[in-house]
Amino acid sequence: QVQLVESGGGLVQAGGSLRLSCAASVRTFSAYTMAWFHQAPGKEREFVAAITKSGDNTYYADSVKGRFTISRDNANNTMYLQMNSLKPEDTAVYYCAARIGYRGTVYTQNYRYNYWGQGTQVTVSS
């Protein structure tokens, strides 16, 4: 059984920072491509950032480039999303996603991920 658990969400003022964590209960974390998605009320789930199995490459939505940083610690089965300069439009539930054994080059599509966490709420006030 694969389990992904997000943490670190909360309420912050615009311009503030949060660090989200995703703890993965898996045997070989380095076998999984990882990503963050978010979903605001009434909207579809959107890609935020992805990181390859080794952590050598990262990918970001245009809206978060320069503000968010995705990283992973394979020794501790954990992925992170450092969010700086937060804006009210970042308000959403943030989800951790994982795909085992991915060898492709497209990271932004929801259906490519096998496993999902329960989500953590991020609220940014103006």
Side-chain angles (χ1 to χ4, degrees):
Q1 176 83 357
V2 174
Q3 186 177 27
L4 305 174
V5 180
E6 302 95 333
S7 62
L11 173 64
V12 297
Q13 294 183 346
S17 298
L18 285 173
R19 188 181 73 164
L20 306 184
S21 298
C22 174
S25 297
V26 296
R27 284 187 168 84
T28 308
F29 186 54
S30 61
Y32 293 83
T33 299
M34 302 295 296
W36 291 97
F37 288 76
H38 70 189
Q39 187 168 21
K43 297 184 179 180
E44 292 189 341
R45 193 169 299 182
E46 294 182 329
F47 172 77
V48 176
I51 188 165
T52 53
K53 295 184 288 291
S54 66
D56 288 344
N57 294 102
T58 57
Y59 306 87
Y60 297 93
D62 288 343
S63 62
V64 306
K65 288 179 180 177
R67 299 190 298 121
F68 291 9
T69 302
I70 188 171
S71 61
R72 66 191 295 163
D73 183 353
N74 284 352
N76 291 288
N77 287 15
T78 306
M79 176 182 65
Y80 303 96
L81 185 68
Q82 178 66 46
M83 304 186 294
N84 298 326
S85 301
L86 282 161
K87 303 175 180 179
E89 50 262 46
D90 296 319
T91 295
V93 177
Y94 283 72
Y95 295 92
C96 175
R99 166 69 183 269
I100 191 169
Y102 189 55
R103 299 182 180 181
T105 58
V106 179
Y107 299 93
T108 61
Q109 298 167 318
N110 296 355
Y111 70 85
R112 296 189 183 275
Y113 294 89
N114 303 111
Y115 307 105
W116 296 84
Q118 83 290 349
T120 186
Q121 177 71 47
V122 172
T123 302
V124 184
S125 62
S126 60

